[in-house]
Structures are given as structure tokens and as C-alpha cells.
Amino acid sequence: MDKIKTRFAPSPTGWLHIGGARTALFNFLLARKMRGIFLLRIEDTDRTRHDESAVGKIIDDLRWLGIQWDEGIEVGGPNGPYRQSERLEIYREYVNRLIQDGLAYYAFDTPEELEQMRARARAEKRDFRYPRPSEFPTPEDVKKARAEGKPVVVRFKTPQRDVTIHDEVFGEVTVSSNVQDDFIILKDDGWPTYHLANVVDDGLMGVNFIMRGQEFLSQTWRHVQLREALGFPEPRYAHLPLIMDMSGKKLSKRTGAVEVHAFRTAGYLPEALINFIALLGWTPGGDKEKFTLDELIEYFSIERINKANAKFDSDKLLAFNTAAIAEAPEDRLLEAFKDFLSLNDTPIPADDDELLKYLLRINKGFRTFTDIVNKCAVLFMKDDEFEYDQKAVKKVLAANDGAGFSILAELREKLAQCEWNQQELQRLIEGMCEEKSVGMGKIAQPIRVAVTGKTVSPAIYDTLMILGKEKTLARIERCLKMHSR
RNA sequence: GCCCCCAUCGUCUAGUGGUUUAGGAUACCAGGUUCUCAUCCUGGCGACAGGGGUUCGAAUCCCCUUGGGGGUGCCA
């Protein structure tokens, strides 16, 4: 049997979507598993929704995820170019051939006319099918239509026969000939539609295994019909169940983060995201659910792809991420942390590896890199730059007739004389606890609020060590002054 | 409207006719650890959509109903 060749063919209209990432991942996994080829092609035939920056964004996030392609955009290969906008002549050639063979024909309907026909069909409770003319327009008709400013498109003369798709996930799906109609393959602007470009490219590029979202399943008949008319060999098909949001609707921006980049920016690890989306619509069976990319390649199989749609539960992703972080080696974490910092504007200096490693260590148990920023950013701000959370001040410092403030005032003197290292600070604070026979919280919290303005920060000794003596004292001073005012 | 697809805890899923009082994870609830948050530990709650068949036996096979999703574009 031929070497398997899969592809991911995104349309550059925005960021890489979770659903797209899952499709890319499965295609990648299958290709690797079967020692085949994974190809990346850009399908940019819609010039109205085209966003040139999206190409780079999609490529960058795919690489971040660790999904690598063997052929295609940027890496090259024998079947380029890998951008449909650079292949326009090829599509024209195929369209012309179809027209010459009487397998496609010109049409001049305006969008308004088509809408009217559809409205009529709806009113008569039947589905709309484009009425094929008894005689196809001649080249003279086309000239005339152009002169009159009418739109000129090319429609495929769909052969009248039922089409059965042998889908490797959903089984045999037969589409009756009487729901198929003559769809457009070349638009008024001279660009091909998705169906035409997609089929031509898959054929020319030797793609023999098509795995994509289920939304295409009920349209696959178009590709089957076109492919046969064009004479390309039959590929294998596998459609993937859709990923829905928690309300059961198609994943969309309105209902939360669905872009891979959003999770990258929020401080997720790509390995966690990969592991999680791999399990959306697929399972290796059994109870194991933590997988590295290499393990996914090892376990992946088409037979174990589900049919039912999956809901994207970001809570579970968070749990996966937390676990992935806990297991990741320090240097891996450091690398990811720096990527995260480069993407975000934070006061944390991104160029001090030792400091970053220290932050990672003392924040053990964090869920995303954002957690670290939330806890630690204030430590890197100017002493008079951060805000005091008044609720925290009230609860920890002002309550009980300002008990917290009193402790703080006492601490100010002791800290001023303390040698600044973990052991001495610990001795000082624990000593004070014993002296007053109170728990750590009674001492640590007032300090924490005084030096960070919040009730949450790294362990108190770490907090003080990062700040250093000078800043600690300056902040306590500021806090006390605020009180006396 | 018409066409197609799907159906196990809230969610991701295991389960492919008997080994199942339906397992794991997550979420949630209750405890515990802890200087805060997070982590972590222990326990608990929680599902085979409904109805017919087939079979000695059905979550597993068939049919219907219901529910959900997708398609029906000069978008992919």
C-alpha cells in the first residue's frame, strides 16, 4: 500500500482555533504513526475574509504545539506552491477542462436572484437545488453577460447518481442524487471555491487520507463527484466529531477562549493542551489519560475515534495543565515561562534565568504562568506603585483595633536589624509567634499585606527575600503611614 | 422546511452480549495538610434518554420516539 499522506489545510482568517488544532494534531499523529507524510497547505481563496497576518499566526502556534509538517508552507516540497492564492492558474486550467468536456458550465445569476430562488424553495417546503439550464451558455453568452455587468461563475454539472462515502469513522454514508445540485466551482472574481481548489490540490499533492471536521461530511459528495470528474484517485476519508462549547453550541469566541493563542498567552503548556485536545473525540481505551506527544503517536488509531461530539471543558484542561506543570522538568518550565513572558507585558524581568527558576520553584503548585504573575508581579513594581487592596487592609491590618498594624510597627524595628536571609527571617518571625503564642498567620499576613497590598503572595520568607530588606522596609513604612493618616 | 449524523455521571470517557453493586479523570460537596493563594491527601455525590423487540442473558444487536449536532453559501 502507498505511503499515507495527510494534510491540514487551514483558511487564514484568524488565529488557530482549538478545533483546527485538533484536526491538525490528528492528521499529524496518523502520519507519524503510519510513517507517512503530513502536509500543511494554506487555503486562502476567500479574499473577503482573508487576513494575511493569520498565516504566520497559525504557523507559529502549530509549531508552539509541537506539530511539525513534512511538506508544505515554509518547509517546501515537490508539490508547491502550498498556498492556493499562488495556484490560481492551475485551478483555471482544471475548470476550463471541465467546461470543454461539458462537465461544467457558466452561470450569470445575481446573488439577489439566487436568494429569491431559495426563498421560494423554502416557502414551498422543499430544498433548493440550482436549476440546470437545458442548454449551457456559449462563449458569446459569457461575453455578453460580462458586457452587461452580470456576475459570471462556473458551476459543476453534478452527475446524477447517489454517492456513498466510505468514512472510516462514521461508516458508509450515502447521499441521494436528488439532494445534490450544480454547485459553484469558480467564483465571479475568477478564484476557485473551496471545493474545487481543495479537490484539485489534494489530488495533485498526493493526499490520500483526508481527516477533517464532521461539518464536511454532508458535503463530501461534492468532492467525490468532482474528484471523479477530474480523474484523481480516491482518498480515504475520516471525519471527526465536532468540538462544542459547554452549552452544546459550536465552539465560538463568544463563549470563551477557543484560540490556541489565548491559552498560550494565558500561560498554558503546549504539552497539556495537546494531551487534552487529543482526548476530545478520541481515546486509546483504558484508564490512562496522560500522554506525551510521542505516546500519542504510539497509541493513535483511527478505529478509536468517537462519533459523538465532545464538549470543550476548560476546567479539565486547567487540571491537565496543573499536572503537566507539576511534572515538567525545570528547564522545560523555564523555556515555556520565557515564551509566556515574551508574549505578555509584566514587570517580571524575563532575562534573568536564575530569578525565573527561583520563581518557578517557590510557586510550586501553580496552575498557569499567569498565577505566578498574579502573585509575584507586585514584587517587581516600584514601592509606591502598587495599590493596597482595602478589603485586605481592613481584614488583616485594621481589624481588632488595628492589631495587624501594631504587629507591623513592632516588626519594622526587628526587621530593620535583621540580617537578610531565609534563616534569620524565619527565626525572627517564628520567634515572634512563640513570644505572642499566635499562629504564623497572625504575623505573616500583616507583613504580606503591607509589602504586597494583597493577602496572596509567595511564602512569606520568599516574598521578603525577593523584595530585599530595603524594599520591604520602604513598603512597611508606606503602609504604616497610610494607617496613621 | 429538507438531507445527514450522533446519544454512558455536569464534562471527557472506559465498557464491543454474561467477569459490572457500570470503571477512571475532571467538576462539585465534606474532611485533612498548610503563613496566604495554589498544590497535595482522604471520603462522598453522580450516568447507560424513553419505549418496543432479539436473546437463557443487553449499556452493548435491531426498530421507533425524544433530544442534540451538522449541512443546505460566489465561507472554508
Side-chain angles (χ1 to χ4, degrees):
Chain A
M1 199 193 130
D2 278 358
K3 201 182 216 185
I4 236 172
K5 191 166 190 176
T6 64
R7 49 82 168 162
F8 177 52
S11 177
T13 56
W15 293 101
L16 178 64
H17 194 266
I18 287 291
R22 200 265 318 248
T23 300
L25 174 64
F26 283 21
N27 277 286
F28 165 80
L29 292 177
L30 182 68
R32 280 293 155 91
K33 169 88 182 183
M34 307 300 285
R35 300 179 187 287
I37 294 170
F38 174 51
L39 180 150
L40 182 66
R41 180 175 69 226
I42 299 296
E43 305 214 331
D44 54 349
T45 54
D46 182 353
R47 72 277 167 235
T48 61
R49 298 202 310 161
H50 182 75
D51 171 7
E52 183 51 38
S53 72
V55 177
K57 290 173 181 170
I58 290 168
I59 288 173
D60 191 39
D61 283 338
L62 281 172
R63 292 210 167 112
W64 177 71
L65 285 169
I67 296 172
Q68 300 176 310
W69 49 104
D70 312 297
E71 179 181 338
I73 190 92
E74 288 207 346
V75 309
N79 304 296
Y82 294 95
R83 226 185 221 264
Q84 292 186 331
S85 55
E86 295 169 14
R87 302 170 64 80
L88 265 23
E89 326 77 63
I90 298 173
Y91 310 124
R92 298 241 34 158
E93 195 185 311
Y94 278 93
V95 169
N96 286 337
R97 195 195 293 175
L98 287 173
I99 293 172
Q100 274 163 25
D101 293 349
L103 297 175
Y105 60 92
Y106 286 102
F108 315 120
D109 313 87
T110 64
E112 295 72 33
E113 287 166 340
L114 287 167
E115 186 39 51
Q116 274 176 24
M117 288 189 257
R118 289 196 182 93
R120 205 174 310 135
R122 251 196 315 276
E124 292 167 15
K125 293 179 188 263
R126 45 165 242 272
D127 57 324
F128 169 73
R129 296 175 68 213
Y130 184 80
R132 181 185 301 169
S134 48
E135 266 178 60
F136 293 162
T138 62
E140 286 69 39
D141 295 329
V142 175
K143 247 178 243 166
K144 190 164 156 246
R146 285 232 165 79
E148 292 170 359
K150 284 184 180 169
V152 176
V153 302
V154 176
R155 283 181 183 268
F156 179 59
K157 182 189 167 201
T158 304
Q160 190 172 350
R161 67 149 187 287
D162 295 355
V163 170
T164 296
I165 296 128
H166 308 277
D167 190 88
E168 308 213 6
V169 171
F170 289 96
E172 300 213 333
V173 179
T174 300
V175 181
S176 163
S177 72
N178 50 42
V179 302
Q180 304 176 30
D181 76 344
D182 293 350
F183 55 95
I184 293 173
I185 55 176
L186 196 71
K187 308 178 205 175
D188 181 40
D189 62 7
W191 288 51
T193 59
Y194 157 73
H195 302 296
L196 190 274
N198 187 271
V199 168
V200 168
D201 286 349
D202 280 344
L204 256 22
M205 296 179 184
V207 172
N208 56 21
F209 202 110
I210 295 175
M211 196 168 9
R212 77 238 292 198
Q214 200 203 17
E215 70 264 30
F216 294 105
L217 181 55
S218 52
Q219 303 192 66
T220 300
W221 62 267
R222 298 178 203 264
H223 303 176
V224 172
Q225 294 273 37
L226 260 182
R227 199 206 75 240
E228 287 188 13
L230 260 16
F232 291 117
E234 185 182 9
R236 293 164 69 184
Y237 286 103
H239 285 84
L240 271 18
L242 268 20
I243 302 175
M244 321 298 282
D245 65 27
M246 286 304 278
S247 69
K249 297 292 170 201
K250 208 172 167 183
L251 216 49
S252 80
K253 285 177 203 167
R254 309 188 68 79
T255 50
V258 293
E259 288 152 354
V260 167
H261 202 75
F263 291 99
R264 183 176 176 184
T265 306
Y268 283 71
L269 247 30
E271 44 270 51
L273 201 50
I274 283 285
N275 189 170
F276 183 71
I277 64 177
L279 265 16
L280 256 26
W282 174 81
T283 169
D287 289 342
K288 179 177 164 72
E289 67 170 8
K290 294 297 167 56
F291 301 91
T292 63
L293 193 55
D294 284 340
E295 286 174 321
L296 289 173
I297 293 169
E298 182 189 336
Y299 288 107
F300 191 76
S301 75
I302 296 294
E303 298 76 50
R304 296 211 57 104
I305 293 175
N306 288 145
K307 293 182 186 150
N309 292 343
K311 288 181 185 168
F312 183 80
D313 183 358
S314 54
D315 283 339
K316 185 153 182 172
L317 204 212
L318 218 209
F320 269 53
N321 199 61
T322 306
I325 282 171
E327 285 162 26
E330 189 176 61
D331 53 348
R332 167 63 192 127
L333 240 28
L334 176 65
E335 175 193 27
F337 194 21
K338 290 172 91 163
D339 175 69
F340 165 82
L341 289 173
S342 74
L343 255 30
N344 288 281
D345 184 29
T346 85
I348 297 175
D351 54 353
D352 185 342
D353 284 9
E354 286 313 309
L355 172 70
L356 295 182
K357 280 197 237 176
Y358 180 60
L359 289 179
L360 290 167
R361 234 175 291 133
I362 64 172
N363 280 289
K364 213 162 190 298
F366 69 98
R367 299 153 75 87
T368 68
F369 291 123
T370 297
D371 290 350
I372 296 185
V373 172
N374 289 342
K375 263 171 137 181
C376 300
V378 68
L379 302 176
F380 300 94
M381 292 166 70
K382 293 208 175 84
D383 295 336
D384 56 357
E385 211 174 33
F386 66 91
E387 302 281 325
Y388 280 95
D389 171 10
Q390 289 310 310
K391 264 171 70 186
V393 171
K394 206 169 158 191
K395 183 181 169 204
V396 176
L397 295 171
N400 299 323
D401 288 330
F405 278 120
S406 307
I407 286 174
L408 208 53
E410 208 175 312
L411 270 161
R412 168 174 54 179
E413 311 308 328
K414 296 192 174 184
L415 286 169
Q417 289 165 27
C418 184
E419 199 183 323
W420 216 255
N421 61 55
Q422 174 105 13
Q423 293 75 15
E424 287 304 311
L425 287 169
Q426 195 165 341
R427 179 146 44 167
L428 192 163
I429 290 170
E430 280 175 6
M432 203 160 166
C433 289
E434 270 179 50
E435 190 184 306
K436 297 184 177 303
S437 36
V438 294
M440 273 287 284
K442 286 279 185 262
I443 308 294
Q445 281 305 79
I447 303 177
R448 188 172 343 257
V449 173
V451 301
T452 68
K454 305 179 298 179
T455 54
V456 176
S457 85
I460 196 65
Y461 308 119
D462 290 318
T463 298
L464 296 181
M465 286 308 295
I466 292 172
L467 277 176
K469 188 170 190 172
E470 197 182 325
K471 293 173 85 65
T472 299
L473 293 175
R475 289 179 179 201
I476 289 176
E477 205 60 46
R478 178 185 168 204
C479 182
L480 255 14
K481 229 174 247 169
M482 174 181 73
H483 174 52
S484 60
R485 247 187 299 145

